[in-house]
């Protein structure tokens, strides 16, 4: 470990930016940005490291420190992926400015990138000067190495009062030592940021503050189910802030992730959650944060999916208690993977083939087949039978939607009217079909109209951080009763828009009546 009192190793130490001198957070961002821009895009992606702009760092830190009872005591702060020290600096600055200012700060910054270590030494010296000017003692230590491989990270010992982080983003192989060490909180091929969240949640003392900026992907999906359970078992969510723009949050870096700030407090009961949004760093001051009840944000066990409700959208689906399985419906994903099934695919119809549907064949409320696709037929034989479905009524959906699409879901009713006893569906399609018996034409039409509605689109945008719609999200989607879906289907047949029928089927449930703005 390096102490702040050791000689400064940074080549930036003697050349602070005139605009940032005396402001450790801005200085750390300036130095880190220079170092980051000196790297190739490939190296930056390999490290998964992106600099947090100073306004976002302060936004995170000030919320974490607010209402903390740190007056007159020693507090222990942690940044497990410190980079050049932007977030750590913001947290120390917020603590120094707090009305309940601590008497002493112990700060641990962890970083494995050798290029960042000299910058952290400079950052530590600047923070030491800041604290000294305000009469605070600062013990700042820098851990040179991988936080996730440290004994401290794996101890799970609650000894930290506040942790702030912008962890790296990249996938780990399931056999990676770090993934195995945190197998209780991750699944499959985890993203490394999930391991940082899991470890740091375990290190917080009761009442400890948690502030992370990460991709939004942890809030839903099977891969992050264990992480959500781990976090929510130890902490109460205080607030969520979503950046609407995929480009405006990390100003100097080409990041296309939909980013989410998560604030939480260890060892407290879950009651309400504030939710806010902004385009990026520039409009943070205008962000309003209405309070939502925990049940409107956190889904039921065992998934515990976390939604991002938005009062600007139509009222949510909270009044619909049913799910697709309650209606006797099953969600599946198309089993035909093009390159693996190549030997069975055919460009022309033959006596031994059945129709093959690809994602372009599915349009809103319409199956458009044939349309001169490269292989619109698939052989029906003993080797291919396992990947085919009985040719019967169902609802088809694209699993992916282009970012420019108006809706997250593109769904079409299919009535089993193409030739053949079976049908092939590619892996980029989801399908909803009856577990027993047949889905009626009216129900298929009504369910497709419901899925294409703005009401469902708003719900999906509150749940999903990507343009991919997985079977898990569809299984958890609130739906009206079957009779209501059939009524929507009849409305669609008349040529009228189903939007009014869909909206009437869903009881609105917005923010708590006692909602206030944070």
């Amino acid at each position: 470990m390096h102490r702040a009192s050791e000689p400064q190793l940074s080549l930036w130490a003697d050349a602070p930016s005139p605009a940032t001198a005396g402001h450790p957070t801005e200085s750390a961002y300036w130095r880190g940005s220079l170092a980051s821009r000196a790297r190739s895009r490939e190296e930056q992606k390999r490290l998964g490291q992106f600099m947090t702009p100073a306004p976002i760092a302060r936004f995170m830190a000030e919320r974490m420190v607010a209402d903390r009872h740190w007056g007159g005591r020693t507090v222990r702060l942690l940044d497990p992926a410190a980079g050049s020290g932007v977030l750590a600096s913001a947290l120390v600055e917020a603590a120094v400015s707090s009305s309940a200012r601590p008497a002493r700060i112990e700060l641990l910054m962890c970083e494995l990138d050798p290029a960042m270590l000299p910058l952290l030494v400079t950052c530590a010296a600047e923070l030491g000067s800041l604290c000294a000017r305000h009469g605070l003692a600062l013990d700042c230590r820098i851990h040179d190495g991988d936080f996730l491989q440290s004994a401290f990270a794996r101890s799970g010992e609650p000894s930290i009062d506040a942790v702030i982080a912008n962890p790296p983003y990249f996938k780990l192989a399931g056999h990676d030592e770090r993934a195995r060490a945190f197998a209780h909180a991750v699944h499959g091929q985890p993203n490394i940021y999930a391991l940082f969240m899991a470890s740091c949640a375990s290190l917080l003392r009761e009442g400890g503050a948690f502030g992370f900026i990460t991709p939004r992907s942890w809030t839903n999906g099977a891969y992050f189910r264990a992480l959500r359970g781990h976090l929510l078992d130890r902490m109460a969510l205080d607030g969520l802030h979503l950046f609407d723009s995929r480009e405006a949050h990390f100003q100097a870096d080409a990041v296309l992730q939909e980013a989410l700030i998560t604030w939480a407090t260890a060892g407290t009961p879950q009651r309400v959650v504030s939710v806010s949004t902004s385009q990026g760093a520039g409009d943070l001051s205008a962000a309003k944060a209405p309070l939502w009840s925990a049940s409107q944000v956190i889904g039921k066990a065992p998934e515990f999916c976390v939604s991002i409700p938005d009062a600007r959208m139509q009222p949510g689906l909270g009044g619909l208690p049913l799910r697709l399985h309650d209606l006797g419906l099953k969600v599946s994903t198309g089993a035909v993977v093009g390159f693996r099934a190549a030997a069975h695919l055919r460009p022309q119809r033959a006596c031994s083939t059945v129709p093959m549907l690809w994602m372009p064949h599915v349009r809103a409320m319409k199956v458009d087949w044939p349309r001169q696709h490269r292989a619109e037929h698939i052989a029906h034989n003993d080797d291919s039978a396992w990947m085919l479905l009985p040719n019967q009524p169902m609802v088809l959906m694209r699993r992916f939607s282009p970012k420019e699409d108006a809706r997250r879901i593109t769904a079409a009713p299919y009535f089993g009217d193409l030739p053949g006893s079976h049908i092939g569906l590619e892996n980029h399609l989801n399908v909803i079909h009856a577990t027993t018996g047949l889905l009626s034409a009216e129900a298929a039409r009504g369910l497709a109209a419901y899925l294409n509605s703005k009401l469902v689109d708003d719900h999906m945008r509150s749940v999903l951080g990507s343009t991919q719609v997985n079977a898990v999200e569809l299984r958890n989607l609130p739906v009206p009763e079957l009779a209501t879906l059939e009524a929507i289907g009849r409305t669609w047949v008349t040529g009228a828009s189903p939007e009014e029928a869909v909206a009437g089927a869903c009881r609105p449930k917005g923010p708590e009546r006692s909602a206030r703005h944070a």
Side-chain angles (χ1 to χ4, degrees):
M1 289 192 178
H2 303 287
R3 287 187 178 270
S5 58
E6 292 181 1
Q8 294 184 356
L9 306 178
S10 172
L11 61 91
W12 315 112
D14 298 325
S17 164
T20 63
H23 301 280
T25 304
E26 282 81 359
S27 297
Y29 178 70
W30 179 75
R31 288 189 294 265
S33 295
L34 287 178
S36 180
R37 285 197 292 271
R39 290 190 162 124
S40 67
R41 176 63 178 162
E42 290 70 26
E43 186 177 10
Q44 196 177 32
K45 286 179 66 176
R46 179 181 61 81
L47 291 169
Q49 185 182 71
F50 302 95
M51 295 295 128
T52 311
I56 293 179
R58 283 207 168 94
F59 180 67
M60 293 174 62
E62 289 169 2
R63 171 67 185 271
M64 292 175 64
V65 170
D67 301 324
R68 302 292 166 184
H69 304 292
W70 289 351
R73 69 181 184 89
T74 297
V75 295
R76 301 190 69 191
L77 312 180
L78 168 67
D79 186 340
S84 62
V86 181
L87 285 171
S89 296
L91 188 56
V92 171
E93 285 188 3
V96 168
S97 302
S98 170
S99 58
R101 183 186 302 166
R104 183 171 183 269
I105 296 175
E106 295 179 357
L107 172 64
L108 174 60
M109 298 186 287
C110 304
E111 182 55 52
L112 57 74
D113 181 2
M116 292 294 162
L117 294 173
L119 310 190
L120 285 180
V121 173
T122 302
C123 176
E126 290 184 351
L127 291 175
S129 298
L130 173 70
C131 289
R133 290 197 301 272
H134 289 82
L136 272 74
L138 174 68
D139 180 5
C140 183
R141 303 191 179 198
I142 302 168
H143 174 68
D144 176 3
D146 188 337
F147 168 76
L148 294 175
Q149 293 183 321
S150 68
F152 174 57
R154 299 184 182 189
S155 70
E157 178 185 350
S159 58
I160 298 296
D161 295 290
V163 56
I164 191 167
N166 174 7
Y169 316 151
F170 57 83
K171 286 188 176 181
L172 289 175
H175 57 76
D176 188 285
E177 178 191 352
R178 293 165 292 186
R180 292 200 306 268
F182 296 95
H184 61 285
V186 297
H187 173 73
Q189 189 179 22
N191 195 301
I192 194 170
Y193 81 81
L195 278 62
F196 278 85
M197 295 181 80
S199 172
C200 291
S202 298
L203 296 174
L204 283 175
R205 292 171 174 158
E206 184 172 350
F210 180 94
F212 267 64
I213 182 168
T214 67
R216 183 181 171 180
S217 50
W218 72 269
T219 61
N220 64 83
Y223 281 152
F224 295 96
R225 181 191 299 140
L227 174 66
R228 292 191 297 273
H230 179 86
L231 297 180
L232 295 170
D233 186 51
R234 288 160 176 77
M235 304 185 301
L237 290 183
D238 297 326
L240 301 166
H241 182 87
L242 178 68
F243 292 97
D244 284 339
S245 171
R246 292 171 181 264
E247 300 176 346
H249 41 287
F250 293 111
Q251 298 160 332
D253 302 311
V255 179
L256 297 181
Q257 299 275 2
E258 194 169 52
L260 180 70
I261 298 174
T262 303
W263 294 280
T265 299
T268 59
Q270 184 69 65
R271 293 191 178 92
V272 295
V273 184
S274 71
V275 179
S276 56
T277 61
S278 70
Q279 284 295 306
D283 59 339
L284 283 173
S285 61
K288 302 298 183 182
L291 295 177
W292 298 75
S293 68
S295 63
Q296 292 172 287
V297 177
I298 302 170
K300 297 179 180 179
E303 297 295 337
F304 294 115
C305 292
V306 176
S307 300
I308 314 293
D310 189 340
R312 297 172 301 178
M313 296 178 175
Q314 290 188 17
L317 305 179
L320 299 177
L322 300 180
R323 300 297 183 266
L324 288 169
H325 68 82
D326 297 317
L327 306 182
L329 301 177
K330 178 182 179 182
V331 181
S332 304
T333 299
V336 181
V337 179
F339 72 93
R340 292 175 182 162
H344 302 292
L345 299 177
R346 303 286 187 268
Q348 301 293 332
R349 181 180 178 182
C351 61
S352 60
T353 66
V354 296
M356 174 68 207
L357 297 183
W358 301 77
M359 194 165 70
H361 289 121
V362 175
R363 300 164 59 188
M365 297 304 293
K366 182 180 180 181
V367 174
D368 186 11
W369 184 98
R371 53 175 299 170
Q372 288 75 51
H373 193 273
R374 65 183 184 275
E376 295 183 314
H377 308 270
I378 184 169
H380 183 195
N381 52 46
D382 290 343
D383 292 332
S384 66
W386 68 271
M387 66 181 80
L388 304 179
L389 287 175
N391 189 5
Q392 61 188 33
M394 61 186 80
V395 174
L396 302 177
M397 290 151 293
R398 295 184 177 198
R399 282 182 58 202
F400 301 89
S401 62
K403 292 177 183 177
E404 63 273 12
D405 271 13
R407 301 285 165 93
R408 288 290 173 98
I409 291 184
T410 300
Y414 172 69
F415 306 111
D417 48 1
L418 294 182
S421 61
H422 287 73
I423 192 168
L425 301 177
E426 75 147 317
N427 190 245
H428 289 160
L429 292 173
N430 284 320
V431 55
I432 298 176
H433 49 104
T435 53
T436 58
L438 294 178
L439 186 65
S440 72
E442 286 181 344
R445 194 180 291 113
L447 179 56
Y450 175 72
L451 293 169
N452 283 318
S453 70
K454 186 177 187 302
L455 193 69
V456 171
D457 183 66
D458 285 350
H459 172 82
M460 282 301 186
R461 288 179 187 275
S462 79
V463 171
L464 298 176
S466 69
T467 55
Q468 180 173 348
V469 180
N470 290 317
V472 170
E473 284 76 45
L474 291 171
R475 293 185 188 111
N476 290 324
L477 175 69
V479 293
E481 296 177 348
L482 193 60
T484 302
L485 291 175
E486 291 171 343
I488 295 172
R490 289 191 292 271
T491 302
W492 182 268
V493 170
T494 66
S497 167
E499 290 288 354
E500 290 185 1
V502 169
C506 307
R507 297 179 181 273
K509 190 173 183 181
E512 292 291 285
R513 292 193 176 196
S514 60
R516 60 181 177 82
H517 288 84

